[in-house]
Amino acid sequence: MKKKLATLFIFLVICFFFIPFWTAFTFTETRNENPSLHYISLNDVKDFQIVFTHSIHLTDVIESYKVLDSKEIRLMSMKYSDVAIGMPSYAEEGQTLLYEDGIYTLQYNEAILPNFTLHIGDVDYRLNFIYGAKYFNLKEELVRGKSYLFEVKKLSLYEKMKGVKLNGR
């Protein structure tokens, strides 16, 4: 009887260790045979932003997203002040472009992504991930010059222990 209980206990511990329970924003290094995983634990707040300085205009761009129940990512809007190189000056199908007080807001009706790749450029411009009241400076937290697959997924205790938790401020 003790042997069966011990076996059951070990089985449950192993299951707890390897079954994904915790939902997180994950940044997985790409183009690497042994990719590193960085994560931010996800709580009840579903909205987040990525704020970066456009490398040509040198103005801030604010991308707003929402996490769906399916763990997909919905691009809600993008705000910027210049429409020259790399920034849209008109709305395409499924988009609405507004201009108010010198700021363009491009709203997306149904832009749903399973994930996307984020390149951490080796330039001294802003790249922040904002979630809740926390700011994560991705230029400090991740490796410059590397690309990361960004997605929302469940992590096991093993993956959390093996990965790097981003702390932010």
Side-chain angles (χ1 to χ4, degrees):
M1 183 68 169
K2 284 185 179 181
K3 191 172 187 177
K4 286 184 181 180
L5 284 176
T7 304
L8 179 62
F9 178 74
I10 290 170
F11 176 75
L12 291 174
V13 168
I14 289 172
C15 286
F16 179 72
F17 198 66
F18 289 105
I19 293 176
F21 288 110
W22 294 276
T23 306
F25 296 110
T26 62
F27 300 84
T28 307
E29 190 176 346
T30 62
R31 293 182 256 159
N32 189 328
E33 289 182 24
N34 189 18
S36 62
L37 171 79
H38 302 262
Y39 69 92
I40 300 168
S41 295
L42 185 67
N43 55 35
D44 294 335
V45 177
K46 302 292 184 189
D47 300 321
F48 66 95
Q49 294 180 325
I50 296 176
V51 179
F52 63 93
T53 301
H54 192 283
S55 61
I56 295 171
H57 307 163
L58 301 181
T59 58
D60 285 343
V61 177
I62 302 169
E63 296 177 340
S64 297
Y65 298 87
K66 182 175 187 160
V67 176
L68 303 176
D69 292 337
S70 63
K71 307 291 181 278
E72 292 176 303
I73 305 159
R74 180 169 181 219
L75 175 56
M76 304 295 288
S77 67
M78 184 168 44
K79 294 184 179 192
Y80 48 93
S81 57
D82 290 307
V83 293
I85 299 170
M87 302 309 294
S89 60
Y90 61 91
E92 294 183 1
E93 186 176 336
Q95 302 174 346
T96 306
L97 183 64
L98 307 170
Y99 182 75
E100 188 175 316
D101 297 328
I103 301 294
Y104 293 90
T105 302
L106 185 61
Q107 296 175 329
Y108 298 87
N109 297 338
E110 287 297 320
I112 298 174
L113 311 165
N115 56 51
F116 57 85
T117 300
L118 182 64
H119 181 73
I120 311 300
D122 193 13
V123 292
D124 291 328
Y125 299 131
R126 177 196 318 227
L127 178 57
N128 291 331
F129 184 90
I130 302 169
Y131 179 61
K134 282 196 142 185
Y135 284 70
F136 300 86
N137 182 339
L138 297 181
K139 296 282 180 130
E140 291 178 4
E141 304 257 10
L142 301 174
V143 179
R144 289 177 176 215
K146 300 279 185 174
S147 293
Y148 294 84
L149 178 67
F150 175 80
E151 59 190 331
V152 177
K153 66 180 189 177
K154 288 194 175 275
L155 298 177
S156 67
L157 182 58
Y158 173 75
E159 290 171 310
K160 286 181 79 169
M161 290 172 58
K162 186 178 165 188
V164 178
K165 183 175 184 178
L166 301 182
N167 293 314
R169 56 178 150 90

